Amino acid sequence: MDLEKMKQKYAYTLARVGLNVQKGQTVLVEAAVEGWQFTSIFAEECYKLGAGNVVVHYLDLPNMKVAAHYRKDEDLRHVEGWEYAMHQGYLDGGACYVRLEGVNPQLMEGVSEKESNAIFAHVDTVRNIMRKASREKHCQWLIAMVPTAAWAEYILGKGGPEGERELWELLLKLCYIDESNDVVAAWEEKGRKNAARGQAVDALKLTKLHYTAGNGTDLTVGLTPWSKFGHE
């Protein structure tokens, strides 16, 4: 498998199937610095689909980790006016939004609970700008995984290039992407199958779902008369 070509196909899948980027649309990207190599691949696929602009903001958690040791809690939590304006301006103009998650699960080791709370309070406040736009403006949005060696080592127990490649292969399989398939057709077929399953469940006219497991789980979820699993 040519992994670099498959990364391009994954990027195309995110842009075409996940976001459905429109001609002339701005794509607002939050990209983790840990997965920076993939960001330009994704941006190019957006441009190929006709995006008017791809605006990338890198989430630099390693730098925020350092800052948390030295800055006041309230200063770290504070979101500057230009951060609001920068994102809101694009969203008001019809931008869509994607978050490319390239995680180092052990990054926050050595960070106190107070420092960690301050870091993610800042990050979450910025993300709430996009969440608000998705609710009120119904803009397209997407959160996608970008494999990293650190993430592979945490999940698979295998780091370095070999572990990262194995995690890429797992991700591609989960996303129904192989070297020869038409990913748009594959996802359309998956959508049809899911809709049919949902409609079959709706036909049962269930009033509740009861979940049990050997670990002691005993959960009942009530359903309203308007609860739907399928769609037209």
Side-chain angles (χ1 to χ4, degrees):
M1 180 178 71
D2 186 332
L3 184 56
E4 293 309 308
K5 287 186 177 180
M6 295 305 292
K7 288 179 182 179
Q8 291 178 333
K9 193 167 185 179
Y10 177 58
Y12 169 76
T13 305
L14 298 182
R16 173 64 179 81
V17 179
L19 275 180
N20 191 21
V21 175
Q22 300 298 297
K23 299 287 185 183
Q25 189 174 34
T26 294
V27 181
L28 195 56
V29 182
E30 178 198 300
V33 293
E34 292 86 352
W36 67 269
Q37 299 97 329
F38 178 75
T39 306
S40 59
I41 300 172
F42 172 75
E44 184 170 11
E45 293 303 318
C46 291
Y47 281 123
K48 286 179 180 178
L49 289 170
N53 194 8
V54 180
V55 181
V56 178
H57 304 295
Y58 283 100
L59 177 61
D60 190 353
L61 286 177
N63 182 59
M64 296 183 75
K65 177 182 177 180
V66 173
H69 287 302
Y70 298 96
R71 299 189 70 198
K72 293 180 180 178
D73 182 86
E74 60 268 25
D75 291 342
L76 197 61
R77 290 171 177 267
H78 178 67
V79 175
E80 300 288 348
W82 63 263
E83 293 180 89
Y84 285 106
M86 176 178 62
H87 292 87
Q88 195 63 56
Y90 289 117
L91 293 166
D92 287 344
C96 57
Y97 166 70
V98 62
R99 195 164 95 214
L100 300 178
E101 290 276 14
V103 173
N104 178 353
Q106 297 176 309
L107 177 64
M108 289 298 159
E109 287 186 355
V111 177
S112 70
E113 182 178 353
K114 181 180 179 181
E115 291 171 344
S116 179
N117 287 342
I119 289 170
F120 288 103
H122 181 104
V123 171
D124 210 44
T125 300
V126 174
R127 287 175 176 169
N128 281 339
I129 302 169
M130 274 65 76
R131 292 171 181 142
K132 186 171 184 286
S134 70
R135 292 194 306 269
E136 297 180 357
K137 299 178 184 296
H138 305 290
C139 68
Q140 313 106 286
W141 62 273
L142 177 70
I143 301 173
M145 172 186 176
V146 180
T148 64
W151 207 348
E153 185 169 4
Y154 187 81
I155 295 174
L156 306 173
K158 184 187 302 181
E162 183 181 356
E164 186 175 336
R165 182 183 180 89
E166 188 172 321
L167 187 55
W168 268 109
E169 291 173 350
L170 178 61
L171 173 63
L172 294 167
K173 184 176 181 180
L174 289 171
C175 293
Y176 305 95
I177 304 170
D178 61 41
E179 291 176 282
S180 60
N181 73 331
D182 180 334
V183 290
V184 175
W187 276 93
E188 287 176 346
E189 176 61 19
K190 176 177 170 54
R192 285 191 290 270
K193 288 181 178 179
N194 286 345
R197 293 189 186 104
Q199 290 164 8
V201 173
D202 290 339
L204 298 174
K205 300 186 183 302
L206 301 175
T207 59
K208 62 184 178 180
L209 299 174
H210 185 200
Y211 299 90
T212 60
N215 64 359
T217 298
D218 189 348
L219 173 67
T220 299
V221 179
L223 302 176
T224 74
W226 304 279
S227 297
K228 296 291 182 183
F229 293 86
H231 59 84
E232 299 299 330

